[in-house]
């Protein structure tokens, strides 16, 4: 008979008592109940990957005698429960042959129901997740069984190497690999040199042979490292042990090793060393970008998430920062993009509708829907309702309303964070249809290959990282917006737009090839007026190629044009510039700095020329204009509009939306990814996607123009408030527009 749950009350949680046993025998679990704040019984919390496996493994389970209505006089019969094979493997590895092991396991200790919105227990337990993992004596991380066992070894579920049917690829890991990886981790943390932080480069390089490093990188590419929930699960507890097959290592040691490897590899040193070995097939970027690995991001974020102030742990990052920084970590259910990190944010706390003082309805912009203030209590955090009955779009609108109101910035409209899919009731993923102002993670700069290697797919967002008081640009002015500068109808589940204040700066007049793989085509150099590689490039061209900033967001250094000149002198400008060759093959620090910045800026972007922008503003008397050089998303086409939006630090490329009912109108409101471009050909001038609203258009008779967001853009000499300073009409941002 299948196990049936008994309802929990108040702040209760379930504990899974894993009974003693070993070998391939069955798993037996007894369930007890305790209040979250009760010190006993203590327990270990499991952090593991659910994945896409079917629940075709079976365990035996029952309520613990004297718990949930049981008694010694009335024996409770064993029931059965289906679990995923990965969880079954974890239970067999974690059980003790002599005594029971007490665990908290989400898949067992939370009642799971298939139909979304019918599980108030799940919402309640998720709002308690931070305390559940914080109160555990240890957090046990399960990375899974190796794909193949060493010769003669039997896996936890009783299979032998001959039984394993999965094909072994370069990024699968064997039990022997796991042993080597753990050994390598211990080697790194036991360096004898007291100055090993400064001298670790040579120490690692001396040992950087493929059979030393590759097993460790395979371990770090295990799918657990990409789960969104793990960030909270390991961040709230200081006693974390990592298990893979039969091997075990402390999180502290693993994190230390990862941080050292990233320090050495951030400039490409490890890739250059491995490139020389025939085992790597001389691939230039063999291990990919170590800094973009989820494993390193996890180490980095765990270290910076909180600070101890006396005995009090204080969370340091806002919900907006966490959502942006943790975009590499994914969840099966779209809601969990937000819900999985509420408990570690500095400005919100997770609650359910039942214990939210405002019933989950804050009302308007000052008090976003689904949040409530705690004014008068000395608590600056806002309650954020965990409600799986709401559609993902409504959850995201609640998040964005809160984030924008707090940061006083619309830059998040340019940062990719939204999920691509959502897990449906049939346990299958479906693509989310989100508005264009919720960029999805298909636009992330670095993404994983099938083998887990992190490589660049897109350019970096021009707005930079979500770090307050650190803005690369100030296109809409230096001061924070005054008064209402955006409107989101978070309470209306059907509303798909955001209203902002903006002015139209110009139109895209010419569009050139996209910079595939970050290489600069000759058409770009020609368009920028640079034909002679013996001379330095024109200022507007080289500034545009690095977006006039260093990687840290400072003004571009004056020696940058000399690096361009040196690079072009070797092959002449008619060959374009192969940035990858300059970075990986030249072993030149100046090249590496400049052309890594070029790749971060131009990768898959298009060079553009704008229509003439009045030199003294739209009401200027001189009549002089200048067609500025710039960069736009790959989807940009001739006729797209360039707007400066109040509260956004960079200009935006917008495309007028066809009126409702038009056959060309997206259904409904886009997908959160870049809209398709209409332009074809190598350099050609494409056709505008829709009719321009005109430089002087605005709200007439209450009408508000509606646009689709194509993406952020760089317009040379217009990134630091120059347009705002030209004319009061632009300075006041009098026009309201909608983006859907």
């Amino acid at each position: 008979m299948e196990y049936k749950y008994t309802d929990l009350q108040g702040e209760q949680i379930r504990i899974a008592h894993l009974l003693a046993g070993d070998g391939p025998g069955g798993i037996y679990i007894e369930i007890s109940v305790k209040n979250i704040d009760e010190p006993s019984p203590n327990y270990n919390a499991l952090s593991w990957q659910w994945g896409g496996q079917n629940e075709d493994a079976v365990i035996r389970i029952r309520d613990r005698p004297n718990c949930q209505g049981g008694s010694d006089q009335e024996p409770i019969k064993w029931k059965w429960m289906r679990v995923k094979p990965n969880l079954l493997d974890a239970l067999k590895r974690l059980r003790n042959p002599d005594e029971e092991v007490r665990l908290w396991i989400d898949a067992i200790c939370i009642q799971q129901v298939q139909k979304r919105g019918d599980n108030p227990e799940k919402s309640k337990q998720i709002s308690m997740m931070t305390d559940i993992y914080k109160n555990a004596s240890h957090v046990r991380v399960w990375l899974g069984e190796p794909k193949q066992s060493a010769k003669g070894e039997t896996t936890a579920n009783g299979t032998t190497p001959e039984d394993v049917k999965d094909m072994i690829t370069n990024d699968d890991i064997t039990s022997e690999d796991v042993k080597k990886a753990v050994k390598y981790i211990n080697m790194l943390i036991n360096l004898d040199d007291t100055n090993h932080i400064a001298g670790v480069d040579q120490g690692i390089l001396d040992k950087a042979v493929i059979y030393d490093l590759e097993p460790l990188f395979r371990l770090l590419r295990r799918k657990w490292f990409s789960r969104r929930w793990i960030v909270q699960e390991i961040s709230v507890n200081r006693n974390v042990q990592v298990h893979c097959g039969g091997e075990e290592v402390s999180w502290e040691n693993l994190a230390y090793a990862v941080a050292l490897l990233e320090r050495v590899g951030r400039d490409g040193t490890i890739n250059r060393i491995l490139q020389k070995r025939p085992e790597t097939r001389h691939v230039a970027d063999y291990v990919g970008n170590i800094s973009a690995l989820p494993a390193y991001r996890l180490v980095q974020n765990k270290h910076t998430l909180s600070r101890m102030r006396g005995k009090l742990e204080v969370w340091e990052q806002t919900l907006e920062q966490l959502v942006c920084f943790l975009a590499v970590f994914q969840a099966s259910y779209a809601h969990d993009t937000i819900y999985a990190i509420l408990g570690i944010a500095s400005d919100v706390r997770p609650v359910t509708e039942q214990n939210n003082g405002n019933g989950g309805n804050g009302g308007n912009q000052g008090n976003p829907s689904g949040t409530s203030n705690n004014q008068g209590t000395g608590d600056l955090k806002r309650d954020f309702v965990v409600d799986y009955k709401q559609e993902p779009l409504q959850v995201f609108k609640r998040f964005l309303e809160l984030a924008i109101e707090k940061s006083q910035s619309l830059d998040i409209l340019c940062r990719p964070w939204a999920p691509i899919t959502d897990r449906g009731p049939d346990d299958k993923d479906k693509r989310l249809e989100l508005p264009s102002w919720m960029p999805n993670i298909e636009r992330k700069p670095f993404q994983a290959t099938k083998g887990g290697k992190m490589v660049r797919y897109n350019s970096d967002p021009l707005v930079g990282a979500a770090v307050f008081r650190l803005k690369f640009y100030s296109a809409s002015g230096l001061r924070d917006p005054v008064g209402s500068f955006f409107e989101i109808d978070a309470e209306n589940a059907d509303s798909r737009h955001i209203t902002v204040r903006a002015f139209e700066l110009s139109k895209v007049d010419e569009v050139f090839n996209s910079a595939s793989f970050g290489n600069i085509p000759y058409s770009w150099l020609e368009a920028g007026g640079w034909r002679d590689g013996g001379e330095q490039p024109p200022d507007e061209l080289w500034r545009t190629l690095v977006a006039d900033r260093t990687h840290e967001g400072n003004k571009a250094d004056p020696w940058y044009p000399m690096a361009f000149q040196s690079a072009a002198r070797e092959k002449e400008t008619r060959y374009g510039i192969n940035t990858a060759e300059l970075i990986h093959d030249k072993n030149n620090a100046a090249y590496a700095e400049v052309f890594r910045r070029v790749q971060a800026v131009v990768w898959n972007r298009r060079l553009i020329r704008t229509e003439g922008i009045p030199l003294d503003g739209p009401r200027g008397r001189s009549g002089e204009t200048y067609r500025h050089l710039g960069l736009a998303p790959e989807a940009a086409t001739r006729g797209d509009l360039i707007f400066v939006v109040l509260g956004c630090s960079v200009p935006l490329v917008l495309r007028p939306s066809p009126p409702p009912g038009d056959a060309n109108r997206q259904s409904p409101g886009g997908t959160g990814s870049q809209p398709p471009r209409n332009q074809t050909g190598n350099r050609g001038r494409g056709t505008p996607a829709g009719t321009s609203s005109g430089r002087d258009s605005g709200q007439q008779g209450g009408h508000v123009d509606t646009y689709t967001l194509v993406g952020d853009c760089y317009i040379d000499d217009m990134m630091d408030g120059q347009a705002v300073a030209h004319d009061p009409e632009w300075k006041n941002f009098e026009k309201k527009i909608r983006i859907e």
Side-chain angles (χ1 to χ4, degrees):
M1 183 180 297
E2 186 175 5
Y3 179 75
K4 302 295 183 184
Y5 286 90
T6 301
D7 290 342
L8 295 174
Q9 305 297 324
E11 303 294 308
Q12 289 182 332
I13 64 172
R14 299 183 182 91
I15 301 297
H17 299 254
L18 177 58
L19 301 190
D22 59 8
I27 291 292
Y28 290 83
I29 287 178
E30 293 181 339
I31 297 293
S32 67
V33 173
K34 62 170 280 185
N35 285 324
I36 184 64
D37 56 355
E38 289 179 349
S40 63
N42 59 9
Y43 60 93
N44 289 243
L46 182 65
S47 178
W48 66 292
Q49 179 207 354
W50 283 55
Q53 295 177 319
N54 294 324
E55 293 181 340
D56 51 12
V58 175
I59 62 172
R60 297 296 177 182
I61 185 170
R62 69 180 182 184
D63 292 334
R64 194 166 180 81
N66 296 321
C67 292
Q68 313 246 43
S71 68
D72 292 333
Q73 290 75 26
E74 185 180 325
I76 301 175
K77 295 181 179 179
W78 289 102
K79 311 292 177 59
W80 57 268
M81 176 185 288
R82 293 192 180 278
V83 298
K84 294 179 181 289
N86 187 35
L87 177 54
L88 181 65
D89 290 340
L91 294 172
K92 290 187 175 183
R93 287 291 189 184
L94 293 175
R95 69 177 169 180
N96 188 297
D98 301 316
E99 58 185 19
E100 73 173 23
V101 177
R102 292 182 292 275
L103 297 166
W104 187 90
I105 308 166
D106 50 4
I108 295 175
C109 297
I110 298 178
Q111 184 174 187
Q112 308 293 325
V113 296
Q114 292 298 318
K115 189 175 180 181
R116 177 180 293 165
D118 286 354
N119 195 351
E121 179 182 299
K122 181 177 180 180
S123 296
K124 174 65 176 178
Q125 292 284 295
I126 283 177
S127 73
M128 298 165 57
M129 201 76 80
T130 305
D131 288 334
I132 290 173
Y133 278 88
K134 182 178 181 180
N135 293 349
S137 58
H138 288 81
V139 171
R140 301 285 176 179
V141 171
W142 174 245
L143 299 184
E145 286 288 344
K147 285 288 186 181
Q148 186 182 36
S149 299
K151 186 176 181 180
E153 184 182 345
T154 300
T155 63
N157 59 13
T159 60
T160 61
E162 291 73 22
D163 298 320
V164 180
K165 297 179 180 179
D166 290 312
M167 294 297 293
I168 302 301
T169 68
N170 278 342
D171 294 304
D172 287 331
I173 192 167
T174 67
S175 57
E176 191 63 31
D177 286 336
V178 177
K179 292 178 181 178
K180 289 181 179 179
V182 171
K183 181 179 179 181
Y184 199 84
I185 290 169
N186 292 330
M187 181 276 295
L188 287 176
I189 66 169
N190 289 321
L191 291 173
D192 295 327
D193 182 6
T194 56
N195 297 314
H196 61 279
I197 293 297
V200 72
D201 301 57
Q202 190 59 48
I204 289 184
L205 297 185
D206 290 342
K207 299 176 182 296
V209 291
I210 190 63
Y211 49 84
D212 278 332
L213 276 177
E214 184 60 16
L216 178 54
F217 282 115
R218 287 181 178 176
L219 184 71
L220 299 179
R221 292 177 190 139
R222 301 243 89 183
K223 292 183 178 179
W224 175 87
F225 287 101
S226 298
R227 281 187 60 238
R228 198 170 189 86
W229 279 104
I230 66 171
V231 182
Q232 175 178 258
E233 291 167 0
I234 69 166
S235 295
V236 299
N237 197 300
R238 297 184 180 276
N239 300 312
V240 181
Q241 290 293 117
V242 181
H243 302 258
C244 185
E247 298 298 317
E248 179 180 349
V249 64
S250 73
W251 173 261
E252 183 180 16
N253 289 354
L254 176 64
Y256 192 71
V258 171
L260 287 177
L261 282 176
E262 190 278 337
R263 180 197 180 282
V264 178
R266 69 178 62 160
D267 65 350
T269 300
I270 290 178
N271 276 312
R272 285 195 295 272
I273 293 296
L274 293 177
Q275 183 183 3
K276 298 177 181 179
R277 298 191 60 82
E279 296 94 327
T280 67
R281 304 180 300 281
H282 304 291
V283 175
D285 200 19
Y286 185 74
V287 298
N289 188 294
I290 300 174
S291 303
L293 271 177
Y296 174 70
R297 294 291 180 91
L298 188 59
V299 169
Q300 182 188 44
N301 281 286
K302 178 173 167 57
H303 178 69
T304 59
L305 279 176
S306 65
R307 292 284 186 272
M308 294 302 298
R309 296 177 184 171
K311 294 183 178 181
L312 180 65
E313 185 172 33
V314 179
W315 300 108
E316 296 279 308
Q317 296 179 5
T318 66
L319 182 59
E320 177 183 355
Q321 290 175 313
L322 291 174
V323 167
C324 295
F325 292 158
L326 304 178
V328 69
F329 300 97
Q330 301 174 30
S332 298
Y333 296 97
H335 303 71
D336 293 337
T337 302
I338 308 300
Y339 293 163
I341 53 179
L342 291 175
I344 54 176
S346 64
D347 53 344
V348 297
R349 72 164 56 78
V351 298
T352 55
E353 278 191 297
Q354 296 93 315
N355 59 2
N356 177 37
N358 287 353
N361 295 304
N364 51 33
Q365 180 179 325
N367 190 12
S369 175
T371 67
S372 64
N373 293 312
N374 292 281
Q375 297 176 355
T377 65
D379 187 354
L380 299 179
K381 285 191 174 186
R382 287 182 173 176
D383 294 338
F384 197 102
V385 174
V386 177
D387 183 1
Y388 282 90
K389 295 191 298 294
Q390 291 187 345
E391 289 298 316
L393 175 61
Q394 194 166 1
V395 177
F396 297 161
K397 287 192 298 181
R398 288 197 286 129
F399 153 64
L400 286 170
E401 189 175 30
L402 181 144
I404 296 170
E405 191 270 334
K406 181 175 179 61
S407 67
Q408 293 292 287
S409 170
L410 290 169
D411 283 355
I412 194 171
L413 272 58
C414 305
R415 298 188 182 106
W417 61 270
I420 302 170
T421 60
D422 184 29
R423 184 68 51 83
D426 57 357
D427 211 31
K428 294 181 179 180
D429 292 338
K430 62 175 182 179
R431 189 173 181 89
L432 281 172
E433 296 289 332
L434 296 176
S436 64
W437 50 282
M438 297 182 185
N440 69 34
I441 57 176
E442 284 182 334
R443 298 199 208 179
K444 281 192 312 178
F446 289 91
Q447 299 178 36
T449 64
K450 188 175 181 180
K453 183 171 73 173
M454 299 300 292
V455 298
R456 184 177 283 281
Y457 276 75
N458 295 297
S459 51
D460 292 352
L462 289 168
V463 294
V467 178
F468 299 143
R469 298 179 300 277
L470 178 61
K471 288 188 176 182
F472 281 25
Y473 307 102
S474 54
S476 64
L478 291 172
R479 294 182 299 176
D480 287 338
V482 177
S484 174
F485 67 102
F486 78 99
E487 297 171 17
I488 297 174
D489 191 349
E491 293 186 33
N492 182 355
D494 297 325
S495 173
R496 301 180 61 85
H497 67 266
I498 180 174
T499 302
V500 298
R501 292 164 54 188
F503 63 82
E504 182 186 325
L505 178 66
S506 186
K507 294 181 184 177
V508 176
D509 188 43
E510 284 188 276
V511 182
F512 299 86
N513 291 354
S514 64
S516 298
F517 300 105
N519 295 317
I520 304 171
Y522 172 62
S523 61
W524 285 33
L525 306 182
E526 184 182 35
W530 190 28
R531 296 177 177 84
D532 184 357
E535 299 178 355
Q536 291 185 9
D539 286 349
E540 70 168 350
L541 176 61
W542 74 260
R543 285 199 307 259
T544 298
L545 294 179
V546 295
D548 198 24
R549 293 293 188 270
T550 66
H551 180 70
E552 293 80 15
N554 301 315
K555 274 282 189 179
D557 290 330
W559 58 266
Y560 276 22
M562 290 184 281
F564 282 102
Q565 180 185 10
S566 176
R569 188 185 294 124
E570 296 183 24
K571 290 187 177 181
E572 302 180 2
T573 58
R574 60 195 177 98
Y575 289 97
I577 297 178
N578 185 326
T579 57
E581 179 182 277
L582 294 170
I583 292 169
H584 296 296
D585 297 344
K586 296 301 182 181
N587 199 22
N588 182 309
Y591 281 175
E593 177 178 337
V594 172
F595 293 106
R596 284 187 190 280
R597 174 60 184 166
V598 170
Q599 286 190 343
V601 169
V602 307
W603 197 289
N604 286 344
R605 280 196 170 107
R606 291 182 177 274
L607 188 74
I608 62 169
R609 277 276 184 197
T610 70
E611 286 189 350
I613 299 176
L615 294 179
D616 51 358
R619 300 180 183 179
R621 297 180 179 180
S622 70
E624 294 185 52
T625 63
Y626 186 77
R627 297 172 64 242
H628 290 250
L629 205 61
L631 296 168
E634 186 177 25
T637 186
R638 182 172 181 253
D640 285 340
L641 308 179
I642 300 168
F643 275 83
V644 175
V645 177
L646 181 61
C648 189
S649 65
V650 301
L652 301 180
V653 178
L654 301 179
R655 183 171 299 162
S657 296
D662 191 296
N664 294 319
R665 190 176 180 87
Q666 288 184 335
S667 171
T671 62
S673 59
Q674 292 181 353
R677 68 177 186 274
N678 297 327
Q679 179 235 336
T680 58
N682 290 333
R683 178 185 170 182
R685 298 167 173 244
T687 307
T691 304
S692 169
S693 59
R695 184 69 53 85
D696 297 320
S697 65
Q699 299 86 251
Q700 297 182 7
H703 172 72
V704 179
D705 294 324
T706 302
Y707 301 87
T708 297
L709 174 61
V710 181
D712 57 3
C713 68
Y714 171 86
I715 305 298
D716 189 57
D717 204 30
M718 284 287 158
M719 302 300 290
D720 296 308
Q722 293 93 333
V724 178
H726 279 325
D727 191 276
E729 178 185 344
W730 281 355
K731 184 176 182 180
N732 293 333
F733 292 89
E734 296 172 353
K735 177 179 179 179
K736 283 188 176 183
I737 63 172
R738 285 180 176 175
I739 304 175
E740 62 176 15

